[in-house]
Amino acid sequence: AASGSGVPHCLALSDGGHQLAALCLDGGLSVWQLTPLHTAAAMGAAAAAAAVRRVPEAPALFSGGGAGSPSQWLAVHWWGRAALVLAQRDGAVSVSSIGSSGFR
């Protein structure tokens, strides 16, 4: 793998801030589950402080086309709560719903 290939180059935060999608230079996609600060703050000061210190759980990982391939994902955007719009190097665009078992 090229140096820096696991570095995110495109980030998308879902409406409400509960999920973060990160595309990496190697073509991988990570989807992180987050606790937005405004949600934690509504539960009280102790919950907000714990949310800031908490390390997020491991993300859901998905693989797209490899770096430099025509099917490499180059851009990601949220479409609703559980669907992503993914743009590929070859110009193709798809809308995919995500679940615990991957894309549908």
Side-chain angles (χ1 to χ4, degrees):
S3 176
S5 64
V7 173
H9 72 91
C10 184
L11 301 172
L13 189 62
S14 68
D15 286 343
H18 294 277
Q19 295 175 302
L20 175 69
L23 278 178
C24 292
L25 294 175
D26 62 6
L29 170 68
S30 304
V31 177
W32 297 83
Q33 301 299 319
L34 306 173
T35 302
L37 290 179
H38 66 273
T39 301
M43 294 184 286
V52 170
R53 289 189 306 270
R54 184 176 77 84
V55 175
E57 294 180 25
L61 301 173
F62 306 96
S63 59
S69 75
S71 60
Q72 177 186 6
W73 293 324
L74 297 179
V76 61
H77 300 279
W78 285 96
W79 182 306
R81 291 186 167 257
L84 292 171
V85 178
L86 295 160
Q88 296 179 348
R89 180 179 296 279
D90 64 4
V93 176
S94 62
V95 177
S96 301
S97 61
I98 55 171
S100 58
S101 61
F103 288 119
R104 293 182 282 236

